Amino acid sequence: MGLAAVILAAGKGTRMKSKTPKVLHQLAGRPMLRYVVDAVTGAGVDRILVVAGPEAAAIGEVAGSRAEVVVQEQQLGTAHALLQAESVLKDYDGDLVVLPGDTPLLRVETLKRFYADCRRQEGIEATVLTVRFQDPTGYGRVIRNQDGKVGRIVEHRDATQEELLVNEVNAGVYCFKPSIFEVLRKISPCNVQNEYYLPDVVKLLQEDGVAVGCWEAPDPEEFRGVNDRRQLAAASQLIRRRILECLMDEGVTVVDPSATYVDPDVVIGQDTVIFPFTFLEGKTVVGTDCRIGPWARISDSHLGAEVEVQNAVITGSVIENQAAIGPYTYIRPGCLIGSAVKIGGFVEVKKSKIGPDSKVPHLSYIGDAEIGRNVNVGAGTITCNYDGAHKWPTIIEEDAFIGSNANLVAPVRVGKGSYIAAGSTITKDVPPGALGVARGRQTNIPDWRKKGSPQ
Ligand code: UD1
Ligand code: MG
């Protein structure tokens, strides 16, 4: 028997007060919906349908190529949302698992156990996943019959004072037989929100004498819905914590997990130490035995082993083994920083290659440059790469020594083992082994003070 997942993601997300659809809000660097799609994918369903609102294209992109997007033109409620999937599933005779797109904390293992248990129960048309919260505010309450079976679900806003005391709630996750679509059509929007509520299927099935099952999840935290920005922040914190715990289990030291932000796709090697106020984002890979932070923001970059980064921003670049970056350093996209290179304070590097053992220790701008092995770039050196219309390259060959405060006006080549005198503005190539000097000679005017200088 097959299994299709239908993720309801078309809601307006009014409580977010945002122009962005709720399920596209980011948690730890990923849109909320991606967590749900990944969980159902991991749990091994045959088909994934996502019910989307007007922003269907953006939702489809996040859901990925495996998901089929169904559009709900008007957001008339969760039952109406599920009904939109009927035509797509008309020839499908497997089970359906329905989930909200705003429950990003659910785990693959829990979903697997839920389906497995649902399938084991004979003659049950629908199973509701329930959890118990100490504070169930906002959730639909599970009202049980006298025989202890689930009788109906009442939404918070429609509940009586007595019903509000119930702390068993509907997680918004259900397992249905395909015949559920007939029941959905019988739902009416007679409630405070004038919406077609999916949980109303429970009552309708009961009235028809059809058995409804109930499955209580062991960890309620997985089913915390994200409906407003406070819940978004709370869920992000839990996701970040999970990511850091996995990393710590794999041998990464996280000095202060409450001040460390690592996206889910980041890979970090053993014995690397992450100091506080560090953000590792996107597809970043950090090698073994690195020391990262305090204060580092590294996005979509690849760091080798034994790299040190402090107070730095690194984006879209490769940093090879034993390089030392920072403090106060900005590595912009397209850089290849070679092994044992030092890039120091107040240095900005853009789209440049820096060869092994070279140093750019202080106050420099290096853009569109190719620097060979063992080059020393003196303090305050600037590659003048932009003439107002085009960007031009600077090439500095191995073993060159650039004196402090040099301007290298590109396109220009500084030859192997050559020297540039401090304070020079170099506009012509410097041959290998030469000294390039391009500055006014110093003149000392004797007795200047006596001859009536202002001082
Ligand atoms: C819903 C349940 C509630 C449950 C809670 C668990 C209903 C009526 N209530 O409440 O019993 O305790 O989830 O988190 O189902 N959606 C659509 N189209 C719509 C409306 C909603 O696709 O017309 C989607 C939303 O994008 C969201 C999901 O359905 O992902 C749930 O909707 P939401 O408004 O968040 O319902 P809750 O009030 O959280
Ligand atoms: Mg919700």
Side-chain angles (χ1 to χ4, degrees):
M1 175 72 79
L3 186 66
V6 183
I7 302 171
L8 308 182
K12 292 188 202 125
T14 322
R15 288 164 279 181
M16 294 296 278
K17 301 204 169 85
S18 173
K19 56 186 175 307
T20 305
K22 174 169 73 174
V23 296
L24 297 187
H25 277 262
Q26 303 263 327
L27 293 96
R30 257 191 204 169
M32 198 185 308
L33 178 63
R34 264 283 302 283
Y35 290 96
V36 183
V37 172
D38 286 355
V40 295
T41 306
V45 297
D46 314 313
R47 289 178 73 172
I48 302 171
L49 273 73
V50 177
V51 181
E55 302 81 1
I59 289 194
E61 216 167 282
V62 165
S65 55
R66 271 205 63 202
E68 301 163 63
V69 175
V70 178
V71 178
Q72 182 192 24
E73 299 286 353
Q74 276 183 296
Q75 284 62 61
L76 301 180
T78 44
H80 180 259
L82 179 56
L83 208 48
Q84 310 312 301
E86 184 181 21
S87 56
V88 181
L89 292 171
K90 66 179 183 312
D91 299 323
Y92 189 76
D93 62 355
D95 291 340
L96 300 181
V97 62
V98 177
L99 314 96
D102 66 351
T103 312
L105 297 164
L106 53 82
R107 291 180 193 269
V108 172
E109 291 316 314
T110 311
L111 272 182
K112 277 187 178 165
R113 281 175 52 195
F114 173 58
Y115 307 154
D117 288 351
C118 290
R119 284 171 167 202
R120 237 174 267 137
Q121 293 173 331
E122 290 287 314
I124 299 258
E125 288 291 308
T127 308
V128 183
L129 198 156
T130 71
V131 286
R132 284 177 202 274
F133 286 133
Q134 262 188 351
D135 176 8
T137 306
Y139 292 88
R141 308 297 205 277
V142 175
I143 309 299
R144 290 184 178 261
N145 297 331
Q146 286 191 333
D147 59 5
K149 293 200 172 123
V150 185
R152 63 198 166 89
I153 291 166
V154 60
E155 292 305 300
H156 183 104
R157 287 198 248 182
D158 299 296
T160 62
Q161 285 305 318
E162 199 186 330
E163 287 165 342
L164 288 176
L165 297 176
V166 174
N167 73 348
E168 188 183 13
V169 305
N170 168 28
V173 178
Y174 318 81
C175 191
F176 293 130
K177 298 285 171 206
S179 53
I180 197 66
F181 292 111
E182 287 157 37
V183 186
L184 293 183
R185 272 191 287 274
K186 294 187 201 157
I187 291 175
S188 75
C190 293
N191 50 58
V192 172
Q193 299 188 83
N194 297 319
E195 284 188 3
Y196 295 88
Y197 288 166
L198 179 53
D200 283 355
V201 292
V202 174
K203 192 169 113 228
L204 291 172
L205 285 167
Q206 295 274 316
E207 285 170 2
D208 286 352
V210 179
V212 176
C214 157
W215 193 87
E216 189 177 335
D219 176 10
E221 294 310 310
E222 285 182 47
F223 295 94
R224 289 247 175 237
V226 175
N227 299 299
D228 58 31
R229 308 240 188 186
R230 290 183 188 209
Q231 291 170 336
L232 179 72
S236 299
Q237 204 170 20
L238 286 169
I239 284 185
R240 282 203 310 266
R241 187 78 201 194
R242 275 186 197 170
I243 295 168
L244 295 174
E245 281 170 1
C246 280
L247 290 167
M248 291 188 271
D249 289 346
E250 284 160 17
V252 175
T253 295
V254 179
V255 173
D256 182 359
S258 67
T260 304
Y261 304 80
V262 178
D263 284 359
D265 293 330
V266 171
V267 177
I268 307 179
Q270 262 184 18
D271 287 320
T272 282
V273 181
I274 311 289
F275 291 94
F277 313 113
T278 291
F279 298 74
L280 301 176
E281 300 172 333
K283 303 242 176 279
T284 292
V285 176
V286 177
T288 55
D289 301 293
C290 293
R291 295 172 72 79
I292 310 296
W295 302 105
R297 182 173 190 192
I298 305 177
S299 320
D300 297 312
S301 293
H302 203 296
L303 277 58
E306 296 175 50
V307 170
E308 298 211 1
V309 178
Q310 254 198 79
N311 281 68
V313 175
I314 301 176
T315 310
S317 291
V318 174
I319 316 288
E320 293 187 332
N321 298 348
Q322 296 175 336
I325 312 291
Y328 312 112
T329 304
Y330 185 18
I331 311 281
R332 290 167 53 194
C335 289
L336 171 59
I337 310 294
S339 57
V341 163
K342 171 163 176 50
I343 311 281
F346 305 101
V347 174
E348 176 174 335
V349 187
K350 184 219 96 176
K351 208 174 162 194
S352 293
K353 244 185 191 170
I354 313 239
D357 302 318
S358 290
K359 294 185 179 63
V360 189
H362 336 270
L363 301 152
S364 291
Y365 171 64
I366 304 295
D368 302 296
E370 197 169 314
I371 298 181
R373 171 186 291 275
N374 192 37
V375 168
N376 189 86
V377 177
T381 295
I382 305 290
T383 53
C384 311
N385 59 331
Y386 186 46
D387 60 11
H390 301 285
K391 300 280 166 70
W392 297 100
T394 298
I395 294 170
I396 306 176
E397 293 178 353
E398 60 187 296
D399 300 325
F401 183 96
I402 315 295
S404 295
N405 211 26
N407 299 311
L408 305 172
V409 181
V412 72
R413 175 183 288 266
V414 176
K416 179 176 171 186
S418 64
Y419 282 72
I420 301 294
S424 292
T425 294
I426 298 294
T427 54
K428 288 189 280 201
D429 289 356
V430 179
L435 168 68
V437 191
R439 64 183 188 213
R441 276 185 185 278
Q442 180 172 339
T443 306
N444 290 336
I445 303 173
D447 301 327
W448 175 252
R449 194 176 177 111
K450 273 196 217 153
K451 281 180 191 162
S453 78
Q455 295 300 311

